[in-house]
Amino acid sequence: LTIKEFLDLALDVLFSHPTFATKQACCVFLYDETKSVYKMTAMKKFPDELLETCKEIKAGWCICGLAASRKELVYKDCVDSEHLRSV
């Protein structure tokens, strides 16, 4: 089982729970030390139009990069003005 397969299964379990079943999207980033970026490794229900933009992010960039740089969870229920910009 690869790490990607494991994460895909973990997201399947998460989205099978009623609390998360109606959520719009979720993804998991892993840090690539060679490029100093976070790479989207697993995703569920992620919008196709954001896949290219969000496939690699730097710490501090967009909401996901902000979460990584702060080392905390950040929840957003929609794409808003904080997305796709440096914070």
Side-chain angles (χ1 to χ4, degrees):
L1 194 66
T2 67
I3 188 72
K4 181 184 179 348
E5 292 168 333
F6 174 79
L7 292 171
D8 284 336
L9 288 171
L11 290 179
D12 286 341
V13 170
L14 182 68
F15 273 88
S16 71
H17 191 277
T19 302
F20 299 101
T22 60
K23 299 301 177 205
Q24 301 258 338
C26 180
C27 64
V28 176
F29 289 90
L30 295 180
Y31 189 68
D32 180 341
E33 291 181 4
T34 62
K35 290 184 165 186
S36 298
V37 297
Y38 292 88
K39 289 187 173 185
M40 187 185 299
T41 306
M43 77 283 298
K44 289 286 178 211
K45 302 180 183 183
F46 204 80
D48 290 340
E49 61 271 14
L50 294 177
L51 284 175
E52 185 63 29
T53 303
C54 299
K55 72 179 183 179
E56 291 185 354
I57 58 166
K58 293 181 179 179
W61 175 257
C62 195
I63 295 301
C64 297
L66 177 64
S69 66
R70 290 183 178 173
K71 295 180 175 43
E72 63 184 37
L73 293 175
V74 175
Y75 172 77
K76 292 286 183 169
D77 62 356
C78 65
V79 176
D80 62 12
S81 64
E82 290 186 299
H83 281 80
L84 307 178
R85 68 181 178 91
S86 181
V87 283

